[in-house]
């Protein structure tokens, strides 16, 4: 059999494909072409090193969609839907999604119609909402002849990192509110106390990344109203509902957190999280057009007609908004409700299993919380391992369970977290609990030491070695005390 590439080096008539014997050289741009199957195999080989998405319990991001939806999304993958002249149906699909979300989040659909758009994810949505708050504050200050050069935004230290990006990118002073010990999100009274005349807005989180807790947005709204009445300020609230925006309406319908509250002016949510769409898709909504400053609205006509853009990016594929409308149409309110109930049930099942094991303490809320379980080891004197060791051990079973420290105020606490997405089944829950127990059993009997224990071991090793040196008549065959200390420091003795 002849080889297609003479440099391949066939052996006894066997033609070995290039991708089996030649690595990708990433130090320079490739200087030759290869066959499609060879290129695909090279890339697939790299991707095989990834975790299995369904076993990645760290991620909030959707890992399963129905084949009918995937087919629709694949058809739309080449559509640059910013070109509304050529692809008007995609713009229509986006507007349909915006209207449905406005209804879901109780926006006024009358004369002051809600305004919103899709984004690449909640990060872009947050940046747009934060910038809108800054511009509105600046416009008011300038109109009143006041200084508008020192805007600040009030938020808890447990907010997503994108809020820190907002403050750096758009020159807004962050006023961080530290969590009180034992509380896993900023308290409303502390948020209000941090506000002043330069505050552009207060951030409320509907489901923190750390522990899944919801803010009491209704109470915060009342405090904001009272503060505005007292001071004449115009404080407002942005709700970061990246995860909770597609959870709370379906399982906690009586909880007021959205546009039913008069001081909530904008909301963001991630379609690619509990909106059940593959990444990346986000949504941002303003309660009415007056909360979206005209200075953030752009017009262009170089794609064939005058069109309006309010996003930070321009070109993007249509597949995600197509997938979102499919899920809205396919699931409807009853479907999303049942899926959310299933996820909450799975979280409760996992919570009960962890409590039954006896080694863990669960800190995520059992009610009004995202479908996740955050937990840590019970405090035990002299334990030789921690949550990071458990996370590392679980990887041997294929699980990705993150270990991390909590936000300022509780930063000494290490925790583990499991996100119970809708494809995380009861069977997988049982398997995870079994593997957690096996990880604990393994860690209990293997040589993993705390720093204090290592110090004791080193001291004992040196002492025993010194005694052996003194008891030996031929000391030359034993290392010096200095050498023993050096070996002990490096864990060799």
């Amino acid at each position: 059999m002849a080889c297609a590439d003479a440099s391949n080096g066939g052996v006894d008539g066997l033609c070995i494909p290039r991708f089996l014997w030649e690595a990708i050289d990433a130090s320079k741009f490739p200087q030759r072409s290869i066959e499609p199957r060879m290129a695909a195999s090279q890339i697939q080989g790299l991707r095989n090193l990834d975790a299995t998405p369904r076993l990645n319990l760290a991620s909030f991001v959707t890992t399963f969609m129905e084949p009918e939806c995937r087919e629709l999304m694949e058809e739309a993958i080449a559509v640059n839907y910013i070109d509304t002249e050529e692809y008007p149906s995609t713009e229509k699909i986006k507007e349909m999604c915006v209207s449905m979300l406005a209804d879901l989040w109780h926006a006024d659909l009358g004369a002051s119609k809600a305004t919103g758009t899709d984004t690449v994810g909640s990060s872009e949505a947050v940046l747009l909402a934060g910038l809108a708050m800054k511009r509105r504050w600046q416009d008011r200050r300038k109109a009143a002849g006041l200084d508008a050069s020192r805007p600040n935004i009030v938020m808890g230290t447990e907010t997503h990192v994108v809020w820190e990006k907002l403050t750096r990118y758009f020159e807004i002073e962050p006023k961080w509110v530290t969590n009180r010990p034992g509380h896993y999100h900023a308290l409303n009274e502390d948020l209000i106390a941090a506000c002043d005349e330069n505050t552009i807005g207060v951030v409320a989180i509907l489901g923190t990344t750390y522990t899944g807790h919801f803010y009491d947005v209704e109470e915060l709204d009342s405090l904001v109203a009272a503060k505005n009445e007292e001071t004449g300020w115009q404080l407002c609230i942005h709700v970061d509902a990246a995860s909770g925006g597609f959870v709370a309406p379906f399982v906690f319908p009586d909880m007021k957190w959205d546009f039913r509250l008069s001081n909530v002016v904008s909301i963001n949510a991630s379609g690619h999280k509990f909106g059940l769409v593959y990444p990346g898709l986000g949504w941002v909504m303003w309660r009415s057009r007056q909360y979206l400053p005209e200075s953030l609205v752009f017009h262009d006509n170089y794609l064939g007609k005058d069109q309006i853009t309010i996003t930070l990016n321009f070109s993007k594929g249509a597949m995600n908004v197509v997938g979102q409308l499919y899920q809205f149409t396919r699931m409807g309110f009853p479907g999303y409700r049942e899926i959310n109930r299933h996820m909450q049930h799975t979280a409760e099942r996992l919570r009960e299993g962890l409590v039954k094991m006896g080694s863990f303490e669960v800190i995520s809320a059992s009610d009004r919380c995202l479908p996740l379980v955050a937990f840590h080891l019970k405090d035990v004197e002299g334990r030789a391992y921690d949550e990071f060791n458990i996370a590392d051990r679980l990887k041997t079973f294929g699980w990705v369970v993150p270990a991390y420290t909590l936000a300022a105020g509780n930063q000494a606490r290490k925790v583990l977290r499991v996100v119970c997405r809708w494809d995380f089944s009861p069977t997988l829950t049982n398997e995870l609990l079994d593997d957690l127990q096996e990880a604990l059993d393994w860690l209990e009997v293997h040589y993993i030491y705390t720093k204090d224990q290592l110090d004791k071991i080193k001291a004992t090793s040196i002492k025993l070695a010194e005694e052996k040196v003194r008891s030996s008549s031929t000391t030359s065959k034993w290392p010096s005390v200095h050498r023993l200390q050096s070996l002990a420091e490096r864990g060799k003795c």
Side-chain angles (χ1 to χ4, degrees):
M1 180 173 65
C3 288
D5 187 343
S7 66
N8 186 304
V11 178
D12 294 331
L14 177 64
C15 185
I16 302 174
R18 179 178 301 282
F19 65 84
L20 291 178
W21 61 269
E22 185 176 275
I24 296 175
D25 182 3
S27 66
K28 55 187 178 182
F29 198 86
Q31 298 300 301
R32 61 170 176 239
S33 304
I34 60 175
E35 295 181 7
R37 67 183 182 89
M38 292 184 179
S41 295
Q42 288 274 30
I43 306 306
Q44 187 60 53
L46 290 173
R47 295 198 65 248
N48 285 338
L49 300 173
D50 289 346
T52 303
R54 290 188 65 182
L55 299 183
N56 180 7
L57 305 181
S59 179
F60 291 82
V61 174
T62 297
T63 54
F64 171 77
M65 296 186 75
E66 293 171 324
E68 292 84 357
C69 186
R70 293 201 301 269
E71 184 178 340
L72 281 172
M73 293 174 70
E74 186 175 351
E75 290 174 356
I77 198 169
V79 173
N80 181 14
Y81 101 80
I82 196 67
D83 189 351
T84 58
E85 172 72 8
E86 299 300 324
Y87 308 115
S89 67
T90 310
E91 175 70 11
K92 178 65 175 177
I93 287 171
K94 184 261 285 187
E95 291 298 332
M96 293 170 71
C97 289
V98 168
S99 294
M100 291 177 183
L101 285 173
D103 175 63
L104 184 67
W105 296 338
H106 299 93
D108 182 7
L109 295 177
S112 57
K113 186 178 180 181
T115 298
T117 187
D118 66 306
T119 57
V120 174
S122 270
S123 292
E124 184 186 6
V126 162
L127 295 176
L128 286 169
L131 187 55
M133 286 192 291
K134 177 185 177 181
R135 288 291 174 84
R136 289 198 310 273
W137 175 84
Q138 288 178 322
D139 291 345
R140 289 196 307 270
R141 298 281 292 183
K142 290 175 181 177
L146 300 172
D147 176 57
S149 64
R150 295 183 296 121
N152 68 61
I153 188 167
V154 173
M155 51 196 170
T157 54
E158 77 288 350
T159 53
H160 192 276
V161 67
V162 67
W163 289 99
E164 186 175 1
K165 290 184 178 182
L166 169 75
T167 61
R168 291 191 192 181
Y169 292 167
F170 299 139
E171 298 180 327
I172 302 169
E173 177 194 354
K175 299 195 74 174
W176 299 110
V177 175
T178 301
N179 295 178
R180 296 187 188 183
H183 293 270
Y184 301 112
H185 63 78
L187 299 184
N188 287 335
E189 55 263 38
D190 293 341
L191 292 169
I192 293 299
C195 295
D196 58 35
E197 64 177 350
N198 293 318
T199 300
I200 65 173
V202 182
V203 179
I205 309 176
L206 203 68
T208 70
T209 301
Y210 286 95
T211 60
H213 283 85
F214 289 174
Y215 278 35
D216 185 343
V217 188
E218 186 172 11
E219 179 191 64
L220 180 60
D221 180 74
S222 297
L223 294 175
V224 165
K227 179 60 72 172
N228 285 339
E229 179 69 22
E230 173 192 344
T231 61
W233 301 339
Q234 295 185 43
L235 296 175
C236 62
I237 300 170
H238 173 85
V239 179
D240 184 349
S243 297
F246 286 105
V247 173
F250 305 108
V251 286
F252 312 117
D254 297 329
M255 185 175 70
K256 292 183 179 179
W257 61 273
D258 51 19
F259 293 124
R260 286 172 288 184
L261 304 175
S262 60
N263 293 294
V264 173
V265 300
S266 51
I267 298 171
N268 71 276
S270 293
H272 63 223
K273 292 182 179 176
F274 298 113
L276 308 182
V277 178
Y278 289 142
L281 178 66
W283 298 97
V284 60
M285 186 82 64
W286 291 271
R287 69 180 304 120
S288 70
R289 181 60 183 266
Q290 75 180 82
Y291 293 98
L292 175 62
E294 282 299 320
S295 59
L296 300 184
V297 179
F298 294 86
H299 295 261
D300 68 77
N301 65 359
Y302 43 74
L303 290 177
K305 71 171 185 179
D306 182 66
Q307 61 184 35
I308 297 174
T309 61
I310 58 176
T311 51
L312 295 177
N313 73 301
F314 195 68
S315 296
K316 57 185 171 184
M319 59 181 291
N320 294 102
V321 292
V322 170
Q324 188 72 89
L325 186 60
Y326 173 90
Q327 295 290 46
F328 287 174
T329 306
R330 161 80 169 93
M331 303 295 179
F333 195 95
Y336 272 93
R337 180 181 58 206
E338 289 308 307
I339 286 172
N340 272 280
R341 285 177 176 174
H342 156 69
M343 293 188 293
Q344 295 287 344
H345 173 74
T346 301
E348 182 59 30
R349 183 188 189 97
L350 178 58
R351 183 180 294 109
E352 291 174 353
L354 291 168
V355 171
K356 188 176 180 180
M357 288 172 67
S359 299
F360 297 106
E361 181 177 341
V362 176
I363 63 172
S364 51
S366 58
D367 184 37
R368 296 199 171 190
C369 183
L370 295 179
L372 62 78
V373 183
F375 57 102
H376 62 80
L377 286 163
K378 289 182 177 179
D379 295 328
V380 175
E381 183 73 24
R383 179 184 282 117
Y385 56 89
D386 64 8
E387 289 78 4
F388 287 89
N389 298 125
I390 294 174
D392 187 60
R393 185 64 189 165
L394 285 174
K395 290 179 181 178
T396 65
F397 300 100
W399 300 107
V400 179
V401 176
Y404 51 90
T405 55
L406 293 178
N410 296 291
Q411 63 266 40
R413 173 62 67 190
K414 304 170 187 176
V415 298
L416 298 155
R417 188 197 66 220
V418 172
V419 180
C420 300
R421 299 186 304 272
W422 73 313
D423 55 341
F424 185 54
S425 66
T427 300
L428 286 176
T429 304
N430 291 339
E431 289 296 316
L432 175 62
L433 288 168
D434 289 344
D435 291 341
L436 261 172
Q437 186 61 62
E438 188 169 339
L440 288 173
D441 294 342
W442 189 92
L443 290 167
E444 284 288 345
V445 298
H446 284 74
Y447 295 99
I448 298 175
Y449 300 106
T450 64
K451 183 180 184 302
D452 289 342
Q453 289 170 318
L454 280 172
D455 290 342
K456 290 178 182 178
I457 291 169
K458 290 174 183 177
T460 302
S461 297
I462 292 174
K463 183 178 180 180
L464 290 173
E466 288 174 339
E467 291 175 353
K468 199 164 188 178
V469 168
R470 285 193 293 269
S471 65
S472 175
S473 59
T474 312
T475 58
S476 60
K477 65 170 124 178
W478 298 104
S480 66
V481 172
H482 176 77
R483 173 64 173 160
L484 289 169
Q485 289 174 335
S486 176
L487 290 171
E489 286 299 315
R490 289 181 289 158
K492 301 292 187 182
C493 181

